[in-house]
Amino acid sequence: QVHLVESGGGLVQAGGSLRLSCTASGRTFTFSNYAMAWFRQAPGKPREFVATISRNFGITSYADSVKGRFTISRDNAKNTVYLQINSLKPEDTAVYYCAGRFARYGGDDQNAYDYWGQGTQVTVSS
């Protein structure tokens, strides 16, 4: 059984920052074998890709809407992936999910990911 648990969401004013964390656990789960990603789902909208990081060497990719404001990183020793969110906008309001894919690179296709967390709510007030 694999568990991904997100934390760090909350209510923040526009222009503020948050750091989301996602910690993975599981008896047979080797975190460093998985590319990791963040997706988000705003109210009434489909879930969308935010960012991904390769399982080694920290190669990252971002959705155009978050480039320059969001930073994904990981600490394989702590089985944790992070999403630093700066200059928050009301349109960033969403439930943020982390996901893991047993591959070197994750990509932006959510159907390719093997494991998902339950999500953490980010609400940005104007």
Side-chain angles (χ1 to χ4, degrees), residues 18-94:
L18 282 174
R19 188 194 197 201
L20 307 184
S21 300
C22 171
T23 300
S25 64
R27 195 163 58 88
T28 60
F29 184 80
T30 303
F31 185 74
S32 59
N33 287 342
Y34 286 77
M36 300 298 294
W38 289 93
F39 291 79
R40 67 184 180 183
Q41 186 167 21
K45 295 186 177 181
R47 189 160 55 187
E48 65 175 1
F49 168 76
V50 173
T52 187
I53 187 166
S54 63
R55 64 186 184 190
N56 302 111
F57 309 118
I59 298 170
T60 60
S61 178
Y62 298 90
D64 288 342
S65 59
V66 307
K67 281 181 182 176
R69 298 189 299 122
F70 289 20
T71 302
I72 188 171
S73 61
R74 65 189 294 160
D75 185 339
N76 286 349
K78 295 183 178 180
N79 284 7
T80 300
V81 60
Y82 304 98
L83 187 68
Q84 178 68 42
I85 309 175
N86 297 328
S87 303
L88 276 159
K89 305 176 181 180
E91 52 263 44
D92 294 321
T93 294

